[in-house]
Each structure stands twice: as C-alpha cells, then as structure tokens.
Amino acid sequence: MSSKAKDKQTIIDRHKYQQGAVRLWFSLVIGLFFFMMPIKINGTWTIIFDFMVSYVRGTYPDVVTLYCLVLILLAALCSMMAKLQRSGMFTMLPSFQYFDASPTFFFFRCLGALLAIFIYFQIGPAWLLASQTGGLMYHTLVSSVAVIVPIGAIFITLFVVFGGLDFIGALSRPVMRPLFKVPGRSALDAIASFVGSYSVGIYMTNKMYLQGRYSVREATIISTCFSTVSIGFFAVVANTLGLLSIFPLIFFSTLFVSIIVSMILVRIPPLSRLPDAYHGHPSPEPTRANRMPIWRFALHQGVMQAQQTKSICKTLVQGLIDGIKLSMVILPTILSVGVLAILIAQHTSLFVWLGKPMEPLLHLLRLPDVAIIAPATLIGITEMFLPALIIGEATIAAKFFIAVLSLTQILFFSAVIPLLLEIDIPIKLTHILVLFLLRTLLAIPLIAGITHLFF
C-alpha cells in the first residue's frame, strides 16, 4: 500500500473512531439522563422515564386501557394463528412463530383475553371487577407494563447499540464478576430495574441473552436476582404502611439485604448448577489486557460497538417494535395469572396455613406481631403489594420488617413470574419457586437484625 493510501485509510479510520465516540457519548448522556437523572416536577423528585410513563398514563387513561385491550386480544389471536400455522394452515401468511406458546401459556393468553374483555367493558362478577383484583391487575399493573416496556425498549436499544452497555460493562466487571459471577454488563440491567422497572430490566436481559451476550446461567441470575421493583414503588409501599418518615432506612436496608442474598444465591443450587450455554453464537465480554487502564479499555469497547450501528432511526423503530411484541406476549399472562393469584390470596386461607411453619422462626428471632406477619412473609409471591395491605394493625417494627421483606423477595405471580416464564430465557417454574423460598429464608434473619438494631 502506498503512503497516500495509508494516509487516506488512517483518516477514514480516525473519522470512524470519532463518529463512534460521538455516538457512544450521545447514548451515555441520553441514557443516563433518561433513566438516572433526578428532576423535580410539581414538588416531587422523579426521573424522566417515570415522568414520561406517568404522563402518558395520567393524561390518556382511556387510550391506555383501550391500547392494553387491543394488545391482549391481538396476542391471543396471534397465538392461535401460530398454532394453526404449526398444523399446516395459513402457511401463505407471515410467520406467527414468535407468538407460539406451550399449551399452558396458550391457555393463560386466551384466559387473559377473556378477562380483559370482562374488565374493560365492566361485565362479570363483582369479585372480578373489584379494585383489588381485576381493577388492580388491569388498570395498574397491566397498563403500567404496557406503557413501560415499549418506551423503555427504545432507550435501552439506543444505549445498547451505541456502546453504552459495553462501556458500563467494562467498568463494572471488577465488581459484578467476583460478587455475583455475572458479566459487568449486568450492572446496567440492575440499574434499569432499580430506577425504571423490572419489566425494562428483564426485557434488556432477554435481549442480551438472544444476542449471545449472556449464558443461560448468567441470564437467569440477572433476571431473578436483579429485577427489583423500582425506587418509586418503594415509596408506594412505605406510604401505604405509614413509614415515609423512615423511607431512607427502608431503601438502604432493602438494597443491603438484596445484595447479600444475591451473593449467596449465585453460589448455591439451583443457580450454581445452571449451564453456561449460549443462545446462538456466544459473545461474552472481552478480557482487558493487564496493563491497559480500565477507563481506556471501557472507552475502546464502547466505541467499537457504536461503530457497527448503521441507522439510528431504524434501530429505534426496531426497539419500539420489539417492545410492543414483548408486551403482547406478556400482558395476557400477567393479567390471567395475577388475577388468579390475588383471588387465591384474598378468598382462601392458603397463605395463613403456609405461614404457620414460619411462626417458630419468627418467634426465635423475637419479632413482634408474629401472628400477623407470618402469613405476610409468603403472600408476597402472589402480588408484592399484598403484604403491605394485610398488616395494617401491626407495630411500626413489624411494618418495617414486612416492607423490606416484600421489596427484597422480587418474585411474584402478578407480574414478574409470568414475565420470566414467557421470555426466551429457559427459566423453570420450579427454580423460581425455590428461589423465592430461599430469598425469603435468607432475608428474614438479616431484616430481623436490622429491625432490632433500629427499633
């Protein structure tokens, strides 16, 4: 190659690197501002992401409820088409394979469509339409996820394809790998859940798994240990229990207990025995040369990823489409499973019976109001807000204990568990149930110690 050709190639390479660097810093600024920058609106501190979701739901509630109904009905229809295509019918139409489901989840999607019709048009029995059953699931949880996932998917996609994930991952690896045995990239998944929503965090984890960036073990750890409810919901639980005056204590206690519990869970079965198998071609995190500064390595990884992206508009549109498709898949299951779980919790004594074996442990730890808090220790698996609703007469110490425990348990049938079972990561229901029980048993003595320390 001649010297002129070499100089020309150097200029082109430099231009590509600068273009990649601009894209990287653009994604970091936009992503961090959207998900993490606190702003004060109408006297309340929030983040742009939460403000956008709240604005859409608050300004256009009728549109959002109709939009949820349309997505749920389309999901049931597309699932039926997928079944028919598998049997050899309608093969001339576009493929509906994305919406194919096992018989169990096909049933839940169809049941979700039926429940959505009943709740939207306010027809059916009073126990279904009540504000704490169908109303709670459809108008609060389902409508939230239906708005959160598509909006979050746009900005998460921007952050990922423009190198923000690789940049954050390279910086976080020295912490995430030794503590939780997962790639540094997972720090962003945890942040997305903590400041945004568990649905955004799980969407991001699923996306990384499909791209071969997480193994089965890593993706399962991240989605079952880091997919917490958002900080905003921490405040909702604290307010319901009359504990807003000690909100910082609840927040930092939950954060501390969640970290300790997750560090233990990743080292014991079932998580420790999951395979490090990848979906498609593996794309694990690159290793850093010993002498290369970590900031320089992180910048290089982010810029290299940003250089590969072709069209910003196409990328963002694809992110929106992916978010809507995922919403279609998970919304009917969340509605049907959530309604069934809440009905069992409210109209049977199942969790009172299940809570009985917990009483000796709670007595041993010298916790107050054991008879009240024992059922609340396990009822959170149905809907994480229910424990706060059933212990209204308890002491402040008992309320604090249940608040932190319910926020630490993470896994519940009204939203997170159906979502986990519907995504592409091969997570087993038996593993989820075991993890919920282990999280509860590990968290109880830790939270009891904090309770005695401050109360």
Side-chain angles (χ1 to χ4, degrees):
M1 183 182 294
S2 65
S3 59
K4 288 186 177 180
K6 288 182 178 180
D7 292 341
K8 184 177 180 179
Q9 185 62 43
T10 300
I11 293 173
I12 292 174
D13 291 343
R14 185 181 302 163
H15 175 71
K16 286 184 177 180
Y17 187 89
Q18 291 174 345
Q19 185 182 52
V22 170
R23 287 180 170 182
L24 170 62
W25 290 115
F26 173 75
S27 74
L28 287 172
V29 171
I30 295 297
L32 295 177
F33 178 74
F34 184 73
F35 284 110
M36 298 192 67
M37 180 64 69
I39 58 171
K40 197 170 187 178
I41 300 177
N42 298 327
T44 303
W45 286 99
T46 183
I47 56 173
I48 295 294
F49 176 54
D50 184 56
F51 171 74
M52 288 180 64
V53 171
S54 300
Y55 177 81
V56 171
R57 294 184 61 218
T59 308
Y60 309 103
D62 295 337
V63 175
V64 171
T65 54
L66 178 60
Y67 157 72
C68 292
L69 177 66
V70 170
L71 286 189
I72 291 173
L73 295 180
L74 281 176
L77 177 62
C78 291
S79 298
M80 292 179 187
M81 292 299 295
K83 292 288 185 186
L84 293 174
Q85 282 189 338
R86 194 200 292 181
S87 66
M89 300 174 64
F90 302 109
T91 54
M92 73 293 296
L93 295 177
S95 175
F96 289 87
Q97 184 179 2
Y98 178 85
F99 298 95
D100 197 11
S102 66
T104 301
F105 282 98
F106 178 71
F107 166 77
F108 281 128
R109 290 182 193 178
C110 294
L111 178 60
L114 185 64
L115 292 175
I117 293 173
F118 285 165
I119 296 170
Y120 181 81
F121 291 104
Q122 288 293 289
I123 54 177
W127 52 260
L128 172 63
L129 305 179
S131 60
Q132 295 301 324
T133 51
L136 172 67
M137 287 305 307
Y138 190 86
H139 297 293
T140 301
L141 291 173
V142 168
S143 64
S144 295
V145 173
V147 176
I148 286 170
V149 172
I151 294 178
I154 296 174
F155 289 89
I156 287 293
T157 299
L158 176 71
F159 205 76
V160 170
V161 300
F162 280 177
L165 179 69
D166 295 86
F167 179 81
I168 297 294
L171 291 179
S172 304
R173 187 176 185 181
V175 174
M176 302 303 291
R177 179 64 71 180
L179 291 185
F180 306 110
K181 298 184 179 294
V182 291
R185 297 164 175 164
S186 60
L188 191 58
D189 302 59
I191 292 171
S193 295
F194 214 52
V195 302
S197 165
Y198 56 82
S199 53
V200 175
I202 293 175
Y203 164 82
M204 184 175 179
T205 305
N206 190 59
K207 188 181 184 71
M208 294 300 98
Y209 169 72
L210 292 176
Q211 293 179 358
R213 297 190 179 200
Y214 294 150
S215 68
V216 171
R217 182 186 60 82
E218 292 167 347
T220 304
I221 288 174
I222 296 164
S223 55
T224 58
C225 292
F226 299 161
S227 300
T228 66
V229 294
S230 67
I231 297 174
F233 205 82
F234 281 42
V236 173
V237 171
N239 183 57
T240 301
L241 293 171
L243 301 178
L244 273 180
S245 59
I246 57 170
F247 177 76
L249 178 60
I250 293 175
F251 173 80
F252 286 109
S253 298
T254 303
L255 182 61
F256 169 75
V257 173
S258 298
I259 291 173
I260 299 300
V261 169
S262 297
M263 288 173 59
I264 297 172
L265 287 177
V266 301
R267 290 167 169 83
I268 61 176
L271 293 179
S272 65
R273 293 183 179 177
L274 294 177
D276 272 315
Y278 287 85
H279 182 277
H281 181 68
S283 181
E285 283 184 331
T287 56
R288 174 172 61 101
N290 291 334
R291 294 187 178 182
M292 179 180 287
I294 189 169
W295 277 94
R296 183 178 175 185
F297 176 72
L299 181 62
H300 174 77
Q301 293 302 314
V303 171
M304 291 301 102
Q305 171 60 36
Q307 287 179 338
Q308 300 175 19
T309 306
K310 302 299 181 183
S311 170
I312 298 178
C313 292
K314 287 183 179 180
T315 298
L316 297 184
V317 169
Q318 188 59 51
L320 176 61
I321 293 173
D322 290 344
I324 292 175
K325 287 172 64 179
L326 179 61
S327 297
M328 289 174 62
V329 167
I330 64 178
L331 289 182
T333 308
I334 288 176
L335 178 60
S336 56
V337 174
V339 167
L340 291 174
I342 292 175
L343 288 175
I344 291 172
Q346 291 182 340
H347 298 283
T348 73
S349 302
L350 176 63
F351 288 96
V352 175
W353 301 335
L354 292 177
K356 288 294 181 182
M358 304 296 289
E359 291 187 8
L361 174 61
L362 300 177
H363 278 299
L364 181 64
L365 295 171
R366 296 186 294 114
L367 288 165
D369 299 324
V370 168
I372 298 176
I373 66 177
T377 58
L378 296 177
I379 202 173
I381 197 172
T382 59
E383 157 56 36
M384 66 84 52
F385 193 57
L386 285 183
L389 296 178
I390 68 172
I391 60 163
E393 303 302 320
T395 61
I396 292 180
K399 289 181 179 179
F400 169 81
F401 175 84
I402 288 300
V404 177
L405 180 63
S406 64
L407 292 169
T408 305
Q409 288 172 321
I410 293 181
L411 305 167
F412 49 96
F413 272 107
S414 65
V416 173
I417 294 177
L419 200 162
L420 290 174
L421 294 175
E422 283 279 29
I423 59 177
D424 299 281
I425 304 168
I427 302 175
K428 297 180 180 179
L429 177 59
T430 52
H431 287 172
I432 293 175
L433 297 178
V434 170
L435 287 171
F436 173 83
L437 185 58
L438 288 175
R439 292 192 71 88
T440 302
L441 293 176
L442 290 170
I444 283 176
L446 294 173
I447 303 171
I450 299 173
T451 303
H452 288 304
L453 181 63
F454 288 96
F455 296 95

